[in-house]
Amino acid sequence: MDWKALKEKISLKKIDKYLIKKFLGTYIFAILLIISIAVVFDINENIDSFINNKAPIGAIIFDYYLNFIPYYANLFSPLFVFIAVIFFTSKLAENSEIIAMFSTGMSFKRMMYPYMLSAGIIALGSYILSSEVIPKGSKVRLHFEQLYKKKKAITFADNIQLEVDTGVIAYMERYEDIEKQGYRFSLDKFEGHKLVSHLTAQRISYDTTTIHKWTILDYMIRDLRGKKELIIRGERLDTIINMEPQDFLITRGQQETMTSVQLGQYIQNQKQRGFANIELFEVEYHRRIAMSFAAFILTLIGMSLSSRKVKGGMGLHLGIGLALSFSYILFQTISSTFAVNGNLPPIIAVWIPNILYLLVGLYLYRKAPK
């Protein structure tokens, strides 16, 4: 293999650096512009809540808005990518710069190289933000909202059933997080399909000082061994049960506060325990990957759409681009809703918009000027 020729082929030319600078510069400018407007609107909407609940200025700036900005910037990253590509590519086409590039022998496929490299930088940054940085900030932001915007946290759960160990099923009719108390609790142990132990209790209390430590109150244990049955009654029993309140007490936005590694482990653990209501967590896990990959698809659509010099100019391209980008975000929201409230698998729900818009992008690419 001729490494020198390969290195020369993939090395960045002056035109590549120019296009990357234009792409990333316009992308950052779009983020700063739109997020600045979003912050102004958010301040106007929440100023009364901040004043009435006596939110400290430092907490508003550092706990709320410092975490608000990266969260919403990353959430609408596909929109910013599309706007950036449409805006500066239309400008290049309007100034006949694209025609000049083609006249030098550059193909449309070669011109895509700096575009896709820029999209790769954005996609990587978006994934790192969504999987590692933003979850930690979201935890602080959501805590601020509960304190100073009075958004209620989930403090109870009903009809909880999960597998806490192999063949051991726990059930609670209701759990109150404020009191750390569960009511009408049972713990069944199976060997194969045969019930060998059945514990019932009026109450169960969680000990916050020790992980997995629970106190069972007013209990009765029935040990079933063959034809014999041993019944044990008691008022208090301290024990270790492999479950935590956060395993079944799903608070608003909890999936946003977990890193991708934590999300993967949580989903796996909950599936092993037989816990069913984890669609939100699965959607969030797959959405982070799909949203990052969307940078490539929307770059392809935006470039193919705006590289042709047309009578409507930049205004027409921006109008079509905004319509497509908003429809992408809307479509992704709708498909995610079907995964949470319907029977659509989460991984399919979050990737359907990408697949459909990739087909649109490939069609536009074929129609683009070569």
Side-chain angles (χ1 to χ4, degrees), residues 141-356:
R141 177 177 57 83
L142 292 172
H143 179 66
F144 175 92
E145 290 181 356
Q146 290 174 9
L147 287 177
Y148 302 112
K149 293 177 71 175
K150 299 301 180 183
K151 292 195 173 183
K152 294 182 179 179
I154 303 298
T155 58
F156 68 91
D158 292 322
N159 297 319
I160 303 153
Q161 180 174 312
L162 65 160
E163 187 175 11
V164 296
D165 203 351
T166 304
V168 181
I169 308 297
Y171 172 80
M172 263 186 286
E173 187 174 303
R174 187 176 178 86
Y175 178 80
E176 297 282 354
D177 193 51
I178 295 174
E179 302 171 352
K180 305 297 180 186
Q181 296 274 344
Y183 300 93
R184 286 168 286 283
F185 174 76
S186 68
L187 192 68
D188 294 330
K189 184 176 181 181
F190 293 86
E191 290 182 359
H193 296 287
K194 186 178 180 181
L195 179 65
V196 296
S197 177
H198 177 63
L199 179 150
T200 57
Q202 290 299 313
R203 288 186 299 134
I204 183 171
S205 178
Y206 178 64
D207 188 342
T208 56
T209 61
T210 307
I211 188 169
H212 297 156
K213 186 176 180 182
W214 295 81
T215 300
I216 301 173
L217 305 167
D218 299 326
Y219 67 90
M220 180 180 73
I221 302 174
R222 295 173 59 197
D223 276 330
L224 308 170
R225 300 292 175 179
K227 295 181 180 181
K228 294 182 180 180
E229 180 177 337
L230 176 63
I231 298 178
I232 303 171
R233 298 178 185 272
E235 294 184 358
R236 179 187 177 98
L237 176 65
D238 291 327
T239 186
I240 299 295
I241 303 175
N242 187 24
M243 66 178 183
E244 294 283 305
Q246 59 263 32
D247 291 337
F248 47 81
L249 197 68
I250 300 174
T251 58
R252 185 188 66 85
Q254 183 178 334
Q255 72 279 5
E256 297 172 3
T257 65
M258 296 181 179
T259 65
S260 291
V261 173
Q262 292 170 339
L263 263 177
Q265 291 173 345
Y266 179 84
I267 291 167
Q268 185 179 0
N269 291 339
Q270 295 299 75
K271 283 184 175 179
Q272 289 175 351
R273 292 176 170 183
F275 200 72
N277 300 324
I278 56 171
E279 289 83 5
L280 273 173
F281 296 86
E282 291 182 292
V283 166
E284 177 67 18
Y285 180 80
H286 295 296
R287 186 189 65 82
R288 293 175 181 179
I289 302 171
M291 287 285 280
S292 300
F293 188 78
F296 295 102
I297 298 172
L298 297 178
T299 297
L300 175 64
I301 295 175
M303 182 186 177
S304 302
L305 190 66
S306 57
S307 58
R308 187 188 301 274
K309 190 173 183 179
V310 295
K311 189 175 181 180
M314 189 187 303
L316 179 62
H317 289 154
L318 278 175
I320 297 172
L322 285 172
L324 284 172
S325 55
F326 276 118
S327 66
Y328 172 83
I329 295 170
L330 178 63
F331 193 18
Q332 190 171 70
T333 303
I334 292 171
S335 62
S336 298
T337 302
F338 276 110
V340 175
N341 300 320
N343 297 319
L344 192 63
I347 188 170
I348 295 176
V350 298
W351 278 95
I352 282 177
N354 278 1
I355 294 169
L356 292 178

